[in-house]
Amino acid sequence: MTPIGRRALIGALGAAATVPLAGGTSLAAGEPPSGLRMNEFWAHDAFVVADRSTGTYHLYHTTPEDSPEPQLVTFSYRSRDLVSWQGPYVVFRVPEGNWAKDGGWAPEVHRYRGRWYLFVTLHDADAELAAPPRVPYRTHRRGTIVAVGDSPAGPFTPLDLERPHTPDTFMALDGTLFVERGQPWLVYAHEWVQRLDGTMEAIRLAPDLTGTVGDPVHLFKASDALGINQVVTADAAPLTYVTDGPQFHRGRTGDLLMLWSTWMGPSGAQYYVQTQARSASGTLAGPWEQRPVLVEDNAGHGMPFRAFDGTLLMVLHHPFGSPDSRAQLYELHDAGDRFELGRRRRDLDGGDP
């Protein structure tokens, strides 16, 4: 079977295509492609929900830039065994009247207080933001929204049509949910485009996730990553100092670990990496200590999840960029104060495209 990349996804969304919506309705009659391996469909910023109540894995990914859908949508694929997948399904449509015009980046779905919540990054390139001093880039409205549904299959409804949940004057992305002692937090990356040295930050969420409370809390900056100072020269481009994809895991010893991604390498020869950090206090407040890079091969934006057999896995995309990004699976070993990378599960993800 030939790989289903962005072009094939667009074909699957055409007039003769079948893209079922959550709840059983479809864009066209029939069923979407089934029997797909992970290396046969495009998946950037992959996120996997293992829903034990239905025995189903749901994989969400960033919306293709050239999707022909008239409204912004979020897609998912479904599997019973991580080997054979069916999709794409549409789980979310940005309603008219929403502030966003583009995006659909890094969708992820979390269960909270009996319901399911979609976190996805949208933007409006026409809404320019004031750039801080020394920032040479054009900055515009970008942030993570939160939408609610009754199932990981959606459909999801935005909690706020007027603004993102991340601070409205920030270029922010990759927001995720973290709950600490009952208090929900939105953890996100504050863009290097606006900061030069991107940061990881957190802001309190209201108990019902409808909004935020108080000011952002700084966790760490991108240039803290192990290896950055050793390989980056003084004239390196700001692109080097990137924060992407925060994801949390409580280690077997109680340590709080975070997977996150950045760019490394000298100016002109940078590559995307999957790295990690540990909170010295065991709480979100940190301080955060950086740990060794896990995957260097122009791969990243990983997230940990438990397979139904109990195996701790990490899904990430490789390579970085379109149209070739594919989801890949690795075993993760919980060493307590850090992750250790296990074997690549080519038996599940189908190997390299």
Side-chain angles (χ1 to χ4, degrees), residues 45 105-106 121-123 142-144 166 170-176 187-192 200 242-246 301:
D45 300 336
W105 292 1
T121 297
L122 306 175
H123 34 264
R142 173 178 294 160
T144 296
T166 47
F170 291 3
M171 286 192 77
L173 76 169
D174 297 351
T176 191
V187 182
Y188 60 91
H190 195 165
E191 278 271 58
W192 63 272
M200 208 67 80
V242 171
T243 45
D244 270 356
H301 204 104

Side-chain angles (χ1 to χ4, degrees), residues 24-244:
T25 59
S26 303
L27 298 182
E31 287 295 323
S34 61
L36 303 174
R37 301 298 298 271
M38 275 187 170
N39 66 339
E40 293 176 322
F41 58 90
W42 184 81
H44 196 77
D45 300 336
F47 187 94
V48 173
V49 167
D51 181 12
R52 293 183 178 275
S53 67
T54 62
T56 304
Y57 297 100
H58 299 260
L59 184 152
Y60 312 86
H61 64 77
T62 285
T63 305
E65 294 176 2
D66 45 4
S67 169
E69 280 289 298
Q71 293 175 294
L72 285 169
V73 297
T74 295
F75 300 104
S76 75
Y77 289 79
R78 301 174 192 169
S79 174
R80 296 284 186 174
D81 56 10
L82 295 175
V83 175
S84 178
W85 295 83
Q86 184 170 15
Y89 293 88
V90 176
V91 298
F92 173 62
R93 292 178 180 275
V94 176
E96 296 197 9
N98 190 74
W99 62 271
K101 297 180 180 178
D102 201 356
W105 292 1
E108 52 185 75
V109 173
H110 299 268
R111 186 171 175 80
Y112 174 77
R113 292 189 175 181
R115 302 196 76 186
W116 294 87
Y117 291 85
L118 169 74
F119 289 63
V120 62
T121 297
L122 306 175
H123 34 264
D124 179 2
D126 294 333
E128 188 168 359
L129 299 177
R134 299 184 300 106
V135 173
Y137 307 104
R138 182 183 182 277
T139 58
H140 61 267
R141 202 177 195 194
R142 173 178 294 160
T144 296
I145 71 158
V146 182
V148 63
D150 294 321
S151 159
F156 294 96
T157 303
L159 295 178
D160 191 338
L161 293 175
E162 301 297 326
R163 61 189 59 80
H165 272 57
T166 47
D168 206 14
T169 57
F170 291 3
M171 286 192 77
L173 76 169
D174 297 351
T176 191
L177 176 67
F178 179 74
V179 180
E180 185 170 72
R181 292 190 291 273
Q183 169 64 54
W185 290 82
L186 174 60
V187 182
Y188 60 91
H190 195 165
E191 278 271 58
W192 63 272
V193 180
Q194 193 175 37
R195 300 277 300 182
L196 297 184
D197 192 355
T199 57
M200 208 67 80
E201 300 174 0
I203 191 166
R204 290 179 186 269
L205 286 165
D208 60 2
L209 308 191
T210 53
T212 59
V213 179
D215 296 323
V217 176
H218 173 83
L219 304 183
F220 59 85
K221 61 186 185 300
S223 59
D224 292 339
L226 295 184
I228 285 282
N229 294 332
Q230 287 79 4
V231 297
V232 175
T233 60
D235 62 349
L239 179 62
T240 301
Y241 305 109
V242 171
T243 45
D244 270 356

Side-chain angles (χ1 to χ4, degrees), residues 259-261 272-276 293-295 299-302 314 316:
L259 289 174
W260 68 286
S261 289
Y272 200 54
V273 302
Q274 181 63 61
T275 190
Q276 58 179 320
V293 169
L294 289 169
V295 182
H301 204 104
M314 174 176 65
L316 50 67

